[in-house]
């Protein structure tokens, strides 16, 4: 996959890259999620989905190791689909879903970068399309220069502290301002509905959905078999941070909590500082997804030059192609970000529509396919020997015809009863979230468009108190 100049990351370095992807903008929606769900369901979803995310990631690691023994470790989910599900058609469908999800994720980053620009310059009433255009321009230098995930490890390590600084500023300001007397919190939100539960849960699903990147991370590691160790760092940090933000935000803002965490601050220097820090954090988080996406587009345009460095023959041309792909993608991100200019709803839509099936259903499907392939390899050797011994005998054809069903039985036997039950429960929950969460979120987006203006409208930042008045009027 890479030239001799490129060295993979350690499992600790991979952990920082993963944290940048998963502990990103989704954490900023948790106060709003708590407002929609109440204490019990918010805490239950945050804690309950953590082991689910780890379990499905371990399924991917098992798949990667099985395929590596056969001589071909997958570098993407699309490659895993080709190897385990049997062909280019399956690979094409998975590529479309996975890179579509990553593309929408990056569009959400451009949206939040634009909102950060509005926060830094809140007194100027900067229009959102203008703010996101400036954000895209500022993303150009990193978009055209970084071509491998492992080249961003140091930035990703720093980035964790940036998001912690953002949360510290917001939570500190909320603490010193105090909890308003009119704020209420509930064990279960008063207006809780079946549809609303899955709509809000989609944000939590999205916050654990880094799986689309895991095969890329594994193949980019010095020792891919060490991948499971990254969760020794990731899971405790994720769960503690998610719970802290959700509970803190809900305690101080309660049923008045905003979906975008920074909107719980008044216009002030604290809001400006938090917006500036968040801008830097999201800029680095954007880099992680963007490296994978630009490389994917570059591979379509010029597959032979994807990994050609500047020091090699044709390196300047490869760099120019990579830069062109990056700029074109930035233009596309800008268009999508302004088509759905509501941050929490954008993440809920992406979470319910794509992140659940990709992160929590496909890993089990891949593992079944890998086990069947492994069983087929050993069975094929045995069948060949058997057919040689039984050549000319009437039941030789029957032995060969039973090979495929034997493979499936062997694959099934390698999955435990726990695996079957866990995968069935996870798939059921994700399908419910996909159907009801998507429907609920589309309805919310429609209502917000009616209140705040159509896509590509100016959408200046509105002070939270004025926003609350607008909610009452409509």
């Amino acid at each position: 996959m890479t030239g001799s100049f490129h060295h993979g990351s350690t499992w600790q370095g991979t952990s920082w890259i993963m944290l940048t992807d998963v502990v990103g903008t989704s954490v900023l929606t948790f106060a709003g999620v708590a407002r929609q769900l109440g204490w019990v369901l918010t805490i239950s979803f945050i804690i309950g989905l953590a082991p689910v995310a780890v379990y499905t990631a371990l399924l991917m690691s098992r798949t990667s190791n099985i395929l590596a023994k056969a001589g071909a470790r997958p570098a993407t989910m699309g490659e895993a689909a080709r190897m385990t599900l049997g062909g280019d058609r399956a690979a094409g469908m998975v590529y479309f879903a996975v890179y579509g999800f990553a593309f929408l994720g990056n569009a959400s980053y451009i949206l939040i970068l634009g909102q950060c620009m509005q926060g830094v310059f809140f007194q100027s009433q900067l229009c959102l399309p203008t703010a996101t255009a400036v954000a895209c321009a500022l993303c150009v230098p990193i978009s055209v220069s970084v071509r491998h995930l492992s080249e961003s490890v140091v930035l990703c390590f720093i980035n964790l502290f940036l998001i912690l600084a953002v949360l510290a500023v917001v939570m500190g300001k909320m603490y010193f301002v105090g909890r308003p007397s009119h704020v209420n919190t509930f064990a279960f939100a008063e207006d809780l509905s079946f549809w609303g539960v899955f709509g809000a849960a989609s944000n939590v699903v999205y916050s654990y959905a880094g799986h689309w990147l895991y095969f890329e991370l594994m193949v980019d590691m010095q020792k891919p078999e060490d991948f499971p160790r990254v969760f020794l760092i990731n899971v405790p940090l994720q769960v503690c941070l998610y719970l802290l933000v959700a509970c803190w935000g809900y305690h101080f803002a309660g049923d008045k909590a905003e979906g975008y965490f920074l909107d719980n601050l008044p216009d002030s220097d604290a809001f400006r500082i938090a917006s500036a820090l968040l801008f830097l954090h999201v800029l680095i988080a954007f880099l992680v997804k963007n490296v994978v996406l630009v490389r994917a587009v570059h591979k379509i345009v010029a597959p032979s030059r994807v990994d050609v460095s500047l020091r090699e023959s044709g390196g300047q041309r490869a760099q120019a192609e990579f830069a062109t792909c990056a700029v074109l993608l930035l233009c596309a991100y800008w268009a999508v970000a302004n088509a759905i200019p509501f941050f929490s709803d954008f993440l809920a839509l992406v979470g319910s529509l794509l992140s659940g099936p990709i992160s929590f259903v496909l890993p089990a499907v891949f593992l079944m396919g890998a086990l069947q392939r492994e069983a087929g390899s050993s069975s094929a050797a045995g069948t060949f020997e058997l057919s040689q011994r039984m050549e000319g005998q009437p039941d030789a054809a029957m032995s060969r015809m039973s090979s495929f069903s034997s493979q499936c039985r062997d694959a099934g036997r390698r999955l435990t009863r726990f695996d079957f039950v866990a995968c069935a429960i996870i798939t059921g929950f994700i399908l419910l979230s996909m159907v009801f969460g998507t429907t609920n979120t589309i309805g919310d987006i429609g209502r917000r468009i009616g209140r705040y203006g159509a896509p590509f409208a100016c959408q200046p930042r509105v002070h939270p108190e004025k926003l609350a008045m607008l909610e009452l009027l409509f």
Side-chain angles (χ1 to χ4, degrees):
M1 177 181 174
T2 57
S4 59
F5 66 95
H6 176 64
H7 303 284
S9 63
T10 63
W11 69 266
Q12 294 94 335
T14 300
S15 182
W16 302 126
I17 295 173
M18 283 176 57
L19 282 170
T20 290
D21 182 51
V22 296
V23 183
T25 54
S26 58
V27 72
L28 301 173
T29 68
F30 280 1
V33 168
R35 173 180 56 80
Q36 292 176 274
L37 296 177
W39 289 111
V40 175
L41 290 178
T42 299
I43 294 173
S44 298
F45 279 133
I46 290 174
I47 294 177
L49 283 173
V52 173
V54 174
Y55 172 70
T56 48
L58 295 180
L59 295 184
M60 294 179 70
S61 182
R62 288 168 63 185
T63 299
S64 180
N65 292 333
I66 290 170
L67 295 176
K69 289 178 183 177
R73 189 181 293 276
T76 64
M77 272 196 156
E79 286 185 14
R82 182 179 287 111
M83 295 174 187
T84 62
L85 304 181
D88 292 338
R89 185 176 180 181
M93 293 173 64
V94 171
Y95 271 127
F96 181 80
V98 169
Y99 289 130
F101 165 68
F103 175 84
L104 291 175
N106 263 8
S108 76
Y109 286 152
I110 295 300
L111 177 57
I112 197 68
L113 286 171
Q115 291 185 337
C116 289
M117 293 288 294
Q118 290 181 310
V120 173
F121 303 103
F122 63 81
Q123 293 173 323
S124 65
Q125 291 296 294
L126 190 63
C127 288
L128 186 60
T130 303
T132 50
V134 173
C136 286
L138 294 173
C139 286
V140 168
I142 64 168
S143 297
V144 303
S145 58
V146 180
R147 295 174 60 186
H148 292 282
L149 285 173
S150 56
E151 294 171 11
S152 62
V153 169
V154 175
L155 283 175
C156 292
F157 179 77
I158 295 170
N159 207 32
L160 177 63
F161 296 97
L162 282 174
I163 191 63
L164 292 176
V166 171
L167 298 175
V169 170
V170 178
M171 292 189 295
K173 183 67 175 179
M174 294 173 77
Y175 177 81
F176 286 113
V177 170
R179 179 179 176 177
S181 58
H182 62 279
V183 162
N184 298 300
T185 60
F186 305 94
F188 295 92
E190 284 191 321
D191 57 350
L192 190 66
S193 67
F194 180 80
W195 294 55
V197 167
F198 285 100
S202 297
N203 287 85
V204 186
V205 170
Y206 182 87
S207 70
Y208 285 111
H211 300 60
W212 74 278
L213 192 60
Y214 289 174
F215 284 128
E216 279 92 340
L217 290 174
M218 280 184 255
V219 83
D220 207 41
M221 291 177 66
Q222 295 173 5
K223 297 180 179 179
E225 61 274 12
D226 285 346
F227 180 74
R229 299 174 69 181
V230 303
F231 297 102
L232 297 174
I233 296 175
N234 281 32
V235 172
L237 284 175
Q238 276 182 271
V239 174
C240 292
L241 190 59
Y242 291 169
L243 285 173
L244 176 64
V245 174
C247 295
W248 191 284
Y250 191 50
H251 171 76
F252 284 100
D255 54 353
K256 311 299 180 186
E258 295 296 330
Y260 172 49
F261 197 42
L262 271 65
D263 275 342
N264 293 290
L265 292 180
D267 291 343
S268 61
D269 288 338
F271 179 73
R272 194 191 305 275
I273 293 170
S275 296
L277 290 171
L278 182 61
F279 186 94
L280 294 175
H281 167 78
V282 176
L283 194 65
I284 298 172
F286 169 85
L287 168 65
V288 173
K289 278 189 173 73
N290 198 60
V291 169
V292 176
L293 279 175
V294 179
R295 283 177 59 84
V297 176
H298 191 195
K299 192 171 185 178
I300 295 172
V301 174
S304 63
R305 288 187 292 274
V306 171
D307 293 303
V308 176
S309 73
L310 280 172
R311 288 176 281 179
E312 297 176 300
S313 176
Q316 290 185 345
R317 181 176 177 180
Q319 185 65 49
E321 290 169 345
F322 185 88
T324 302
C325 294
V327 172
L328 291 175
L329 277 176
L330 279 168
C331 295
Y333 299 148
W334 178 88
V336 174
N338 286 281
I340 311 175
F342 313 110
F343 176 63
S344 60
D345 291 332
F346 196 136
L347 289 194
L349 181 63
V350 177
S352 59
L353 189 61
L354 290 173
S355 67
I358 288 170
S359 297
F360 301 128
V361 177
L362 280 181
V365 176
F366 289 156
L367 180 61
M368 280 294 295
L371 289 172
Q372 182 177 320
R373 172 175 167 164
E374 185 182 46
S377 298
S378 58
S379 177
T383 301
F384 177 76
E385 291 180 12
L386 182 65
S387 65
Q388 292 294 311
R389 291 197 306 269
M390 302 179 66
E391 187 173 356
Q393 299 182 28
D395 57 345
M398 185 67 70
S399 297
R400 288 192 293 272
M401 290 174 61
S402 66
S403 176
F404 180 74
S405 60
S406 172
Q407 295 169 26
C408 293
R409 287 195 300 272
D410 288 344
R413 281 194 291 268
R414 297 188 184 205
L415 288 177
T416 66
R417 181 176 298 178
F418 171 82
D419 288 325
F420 280 115
V421 173
C423 290
I425 293 173
I426 291 168
T427 300
F429 173 80
I430 292 302
L431 291 178
L432 286 173
S433 175
M434 185 177 179
V435 174
F436 294 109
T438 301
T439 304
N440 183 75
T441 302
I442 290 174
D444 287 343
I445 291 172
R447 286 188 287 273
R448 289 183 185 272
I449 287 174
R451 292 170 184 168
Y452 310 129
F456 299 95
C458 181
Q459 298 280 358
R461 180 181 182 272
V462 181
H463 190 281
E465 292 181 2
K466 293 181 180 178
L467 198 62
M469 293 176 64
L470 274 173
E471 296 281 354
L472 291 174
L473 288 173
F474 289 92

